[in-house]
Every structure is written in C-alpha cells, then in structure tokens.
C-alpha cells in the first residue's frame, strides 16, 4: 500500500495530524518529514527494526554510518550525551533551535545501533514545529537522515510531492510541510578541545564562537 501524503501546516501543525503520525511511529513506522533545512527520513530511535529499515532505504549499513536524531530542545539533549561542556552548552543555547547538527559523545541511553562503532552521535533541534512536536508527543527522539536527489544538479529533493512519488512504496507517511530547502544543516564536531566545522551548511556558527 502506498504511503499517505499528509499535508500539515508548518507553523501551526494540526494536533490530530501530528497524533496520526506519532501513532505510525509508535507502531514501528518510517516517515518523511520537513525540517528547517531539508526533508528527512526518520523513525523512533528506540525501534531497532525501524532504524534498520531507514538504513535499508538509504542503502547504508546501520553499524557503519553516523545516524543523527532530533531532540525537542536543549534540555532533552542532555539525556543522550555525556560530558556536555559549558562552552558547548552556551553555544548550543544561542543557536538552537536552528540549522545545526552537533556531534557529541553518546550516553548509554542512545541505542547502540544509532552510534554503531563510533562513540559519537549527531543531534539536531531544528527550527521547525512539525518535527519538534512529533518528538514531544512521541516522547523519544526521531532519526534524521536527508533525502538526496537523483538529479546531478540539485543535491536534495525539495518538493514533497516529488518525494512522495519516489518513496511512496518504501515509507508509511510523507508529510507535506511545504517546499524544503536545498541546503543541509551545518555539522559541528564538539568532541575535541575546539569546535570543528565538519560540513558548512545553512547555519553560520562563526559569530557565536567569539
């Protein structure tokens, strides 16, 4: 059965529609959803079969890839990381919610399948109501891995209807939250003594490091 294309208002998400998506996640479903940057594929981080399904869709091995996930807010992040230093916390407090993925040392609460053979995990708090409401109501973070395009010119698929056409046989719900962007989050490695920009994306961290 083809996935449902579910239109949800990006600024004021309809409660009943959010609840519908959360029910799918609770039942081991895989969804595609908007963020403040690009569209992502995700599931409940504590559902191993769903995580493996996401990896299969992406064509990667769960134990050999760095999976990131979405938290509701900064206080939520502290549950899933260890050794969160004061300088890192201060920067995160300034820029989140926002278009950043922070690489941090994973705590024991993060399922091993998420951080695999690495001790780090990527964490996002996007400036977008839909994914944050999903996480809040699910009670768990959700995986975030980007929708790449097959086009050689544009790297990411931005039109939710195009995404639905491509993935309708692979996922359970595609959320239409409007057109996505074609620039991913900025990835920042916070595991060393200094902040290291691993990938420059939509967020500019420079002004906040002074």
């Amino acid at each position: 059965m083809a996935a449902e294309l579910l239109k949800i208002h990006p600024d004021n998400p309809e409660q009943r529609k959010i609840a519908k998506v959360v029910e799918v996640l609770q039942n081991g479903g895989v969804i595609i959803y908007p963020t403040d940057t690009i569209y992502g594929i995700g599931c409940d981080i504590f559902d191993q079969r769903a995580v493996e399904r996401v990896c299969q869709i992406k064509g990667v091995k769960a134990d050999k890839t760095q999976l990131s996930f979405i938290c509701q807010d900064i206080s939520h992040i502290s549950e899933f990381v260890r050794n969160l230093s004061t300088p890192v916390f201060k920067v995160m407090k300034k820029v989140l919610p926002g278009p950043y993925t922070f690489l941090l040392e994973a705590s024991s609460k993060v399922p091993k399948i998420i951080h695999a053979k690495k001790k780090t995990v990527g964490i996002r708090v996007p400036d977008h109501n839909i994914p944050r409401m999903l996480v809040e109501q699910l009670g768990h973070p959700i995986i975030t891995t980007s929708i790449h395009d097959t086009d050689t010119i544009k790297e990411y698929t931005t039109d939710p209807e195009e995404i639905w056409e491509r993935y309708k046989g692979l996922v359970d719900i595609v959320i239409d939250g409007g057109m996505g962007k074609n620039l991913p989050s900025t990835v920042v490695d916070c595991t060393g003594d200094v902040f290291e920009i691993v990938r420059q994306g939509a967020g500019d961290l420079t002004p906040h490091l002074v």
Side-chain angles (χ1 to χ4, degrees), residues 64-79:
K64 292 184 178 177
T65 189
Q66 176 83 61
L67 290 170
S68 299
F69 58 82
I70 288 175
C71 285
Q72 180 188 345
D73 52 35
I74 294 179
S75 62
H76 198 201
I77 289 174
S78 62
E79 295 180 42

Side-chain angles (χ1 to χ4, degrees), residues 24-196:
V24 168
L25 291 167
Q26 288 171 334
N27 290 322
V30 173
I31 67 169
I32 292 177
Y33 57 91
T35 72
D36 53 353
T37 55
I38 54 186
Y39 270 80
I41 304 176
C43 65
D44 183 339
I45 67 164
F46 291 111
D47 192 314
Q48 182 170 332
R49 290 181 67 180
V51 173
E52 289 172 346
R53 189 174 153 204
V54 168
C55 290
Q56 187 176 25
I57 292 168
K58 287 280 291 184
V60 296
K61 291 185 180 291
D63 63 345
K64 292 184 178 177
T65 189
Q66 176 83 61
L67 290 170
S68 299
F69 58 82
I70 288 175
C71 285
Q72 180 188 345
D73 52 35
I74 294 179
S75 62
H76 198 201
I77 289 174
S78 62
E79 295 180 42
F80 299 97
V81 303
R82 66 175 81 219
N83 303 325
L84 184 58
S85 69
T86 301
V88 172
F89 179 79
K90 283 182 176 178
V91 169
M92 292 172 76
K93 197 171 180 182
K94 287 179 185 177
V95 302
L96 296 179
Y100 300 91
T101 298
F102 287 93
L103 299 180
L104 298 156
E105 187 180 347
S107 76
S108 58
K109 191 167 181 181
V110 179
K112 279 193 165 55
I113 193 172
I114 304 296
H115 60 89
K117 295 174 182 176
K118 301 177 182 179
K119 293 180 179 179
T120 59
V121 67
I123 292 184
R124 284 212 64 198
V125 181
D127 188 14
H128 199 295
N129 289 335
I130 290 174
R132 293 213 318 274
M133 282 184 69
L134 290 173
V135 170
E136 179 184 13
Q137 295 199 24
L138 179 65
H140 303 149
I142 56 176
I143 291 288
T144 178
T145 180
S146 53
I147 300 285
H148 285 267
D149 203 286
T150 53
D151 194 299
T152 54
I153 297 174
K154 60 179 182 177
E155 188 174 357
Y156 302 98
T157 309
T158 57
D159 186 336
E161 292 193 6
E162 280 184 36
I163 292 170
W164 179 78
E165 282 291 344
R166 182 174 163 198
Y167 288 95
K168 62 185 178 183
L170 299 172
V171 302
D172 301 290
I173 286 183
V174 176
I175 296 174
D176 179 353
M179 292 294 287
K181 297 176 183 175
N182 197 31
L183 194 62
S185 64
T186 292
V187 179
V188 189
D189 188 341
C190 302
T191 58
D193 294 331
V194 295
F195 292 88
E196 181 184 351

